[in-house]
Amino acid sequence: MVTKTSELPARAAGRAGRDRTTDRGRTADPERIADRLLHSTAARSYDPELDIDWSAPREEGKLFLPEHRSTLYGTPLWDQLTPVQRRELGKHEAASVAGFGIWLECILMRLLAKLAYEEDPATRHVQYALAEMAEECRHSTMFARLIEWMGVPYYRPPRHVHALGRLLTTTAHGPAMWGAILIGEEITDRLQREMSADDSMQPIVRMVNRIHILEEARHIGFARAALTRSVARLPLYELPIQRGVLGRVAFIVARNLINPEVYRSVGLDPAQARRAALANPAHHETIRYGGEKIVAFLREAGMIGPPATRLWRKAHLID
Ligand SMILES: [Fe+2]
Ligand SMILES: [Fe+2]
């Protein structure tokens, strides 16, 4: 049996209600924000090796992804699949998102390491960056463990996306860097929140989601505050460049959460199924839903606009 997060022992218990997604209405002082987040981290964090019972079997009939979040949901290809095949496809799609999550978190860990390398480690700000790196490290191990538990392949992003990720870790800076982090964290967070409340899901998947949601709330608060400060310092001439980089990242994330190889698991042709998914209004709605909160935040910060508006639209993140 998987333990509920509310029943977790020792380091995880008794601090409900302290995490916040944003620091709106609180001080904008980075040291005070980081100090609060460090206290929250010390009081409430998880070790997925101990807190998840990986020996629990997969439960018959339970889902790995809600059906309406499957990329083919509602298409003629979906109608051809049996209930068992639909569950199987959901399992591979969930594994693809987990694999993409590992890729994103590896980039994030390198960006946080860069911050710690360049700035003053005797600040709470850098110390929180180090604490977040430790959490992302455990998250990536948790997602890897989840893929192993599901008994499916590791779906990595395509080669050109893999190469672009390497470029991003060395060149990203300013609000586009924080925005890129937030796009990766918040789209998956929104979908994980929905899944964690869904009884039809596999208990282990729900547990992974719950742990991730609780710890990501701090990361999102940290990155949102950093982005707001970074936008305020941005020279006007750099705004189109920063928007351009961010729009490209948003498009890449939206397009690569699902590796087309997943469709082979139910005997579909990857190219044909990919075309059906990209044209599927239900899938567009999933992307829009996932991005709704971060898009509103980035719009308010002035980070969505020319020359990248078209990319956001093409990604189905804005109308
Ligand atoms: Fe994470
Ligand atoms: Fe994170």
Side-chain angles (χ1 to χ4, degrees):
M1 270 295 288
V2 178
T3 328
K4 287 182 180 168
T5 43
S6 57
E7 293 165 359
L8 288 173
R11 68 198 174 287
R15 282 98 15 188
R18 291 191 54 195
D19 291 307
R20 296 278 175 87
T21 302
T22 72
D23 284 285
R24 195 173 296 160
R26 287 169 174 256
T27 175
D29 174 7
E31 284 300 275
R32 287 186 61 183
I33 293 170
D35 188 62
R36 181 177 63 77
L37 294 172
L38 277 162
H39 278 104
S40 169
T41 307
R44 187 178 184 142
S45 56
Y46 300 94
D47 182 344
E49 286 297 317
L50 302 173
D51 295 328
I52 296 181
D53 178 8
W54 296 107
S55 67
R58 298 189 287 271
E59 287 192 18
E60 199 67 40
K62 293 272 185 181
L63 301 173
F64 298 85
L65 187 77
E67 291 203 337
H68 70 289
R69 296 300 177 203
S70 184
T71 51
L72 296 180
Y73 181 79
T75 64
L77 286 177
W78 180 261
D79 295 339
Q80 289 168 22
L81 300 176
T82 65
V84 172
Q85 283 179 313
R86 289 173 182 176
R87 265 205 303 280
E88 184 66 13
L89 178 60
K91 184 167 74 180
H92 287 257
E93 289 182 317
S96 174
V97 175
F100 192 75
I102 293 171
W103 174 80
L104 277 168
E105 289 188 334
C106 285
I107 292 173
L108 175 51
M109 283 187 270
R110 290 178 73 175
L111 292 173
L112 291 167
K114 194 162 80 171
L115 191 146
Y117 188 80
E118 299 295 344
E119 297 185 17
D120 180 356
T123 60
R124 302 302 271 162
H125 185 71
V126 170
Q127 287 160 23
Y128 181 71
L130 291 168
E132 184 172 322
M133 264 177 82
E135 274 180 351
E136 296 297 16
C137 193
R138 289 197 298 274
H139 292 172
S140 287
T141 311
M142 174 171 74
F143 292 144
R145 200 78 205 263
L146 178 69
I147 292 167
E148 189 189 337
W149 176 82
M150 289 196 288
V152 293
Y154 168 53
Y155 294 105
R156 61 168 65 244
R159 202 171 292 181
H160 73 282
V161 172
H162 195 81
L164 282 172
R166 204 175 290 130
L167 184 69
L168 192 75
T169 56
T170 51
T171 59
H173 65 280
M177 180 184 95
W178 293 108
I181 290 170
L182 284 165
I183 287 165
E185 291 186 327
E186 293 207 34
I187 293 179
T188 43
D189 183 71
R190 190 99 200 274
L191 296 166
Q192 284 179 329
R193 281 173 189 271
E194 184 185 57
M195 279 187 264
S196 72
D198 186 342
D199 275 345
S200 63
M201 300 288 296
Q202 293 279 344
I204 291 254
V205 175
R206 290 180 76 189
M207 185 64 186
V208 164
N209 288 337
R210 280 197 205 114
I211 288 178
H212 202 240
I213 290 162
L214 281 164
E215 297 189 338
E216 286 300 319
R218 290 189 286 263
H219 305 181
I220 290 169
F222 186 66
R224 281 191 173 206
L227 183 137
T228 303
R229 288 195 303 275
S230 190
V231 167
R233 287 196 302 264
L234 190 72
L236 208 57
Y237 71 84
E238 223 193 298
L239 184 61
I241 302 165
Q242 291 275 327
R243 281 178 174 173
V245 171
L246 193 56
R248 178 56 61 185
V249 170
F251 181 75
I252 287 171
V253 170
R255 281 295 160 96
N256 289 282
L257 285 168
I258 303 298
N259 184 322
E261 288 299 307
V262 298
Y263 302 117
R264 288 193 200 281
S265 65
V266 288
L268 295 174
D269 171 58
Q272 185 202 2
R274 168 81 161 170
R275 275 195 301 278
L278 291 182
N280 182 10
H283 177 54
H284 302 166
E285 171 52 24
T286 293
I287 297 293
R288 191 208 59 78
Y289 174 80
E292 194 174 22
K293 291 199 167 177
I294 183 57
V295 162
F297 173 78
L298 292 172
R299 263 199 168 133
E300 203 180 313
M303 288 301 293
I304 298 181
T309 317
R310 188 185 54 87
L311 279 168
W312 286 90
R313 204 166 280 137
K314 211 172 144 192
H316 302 289
L317 282 160
I318 64 171
D319 293 328

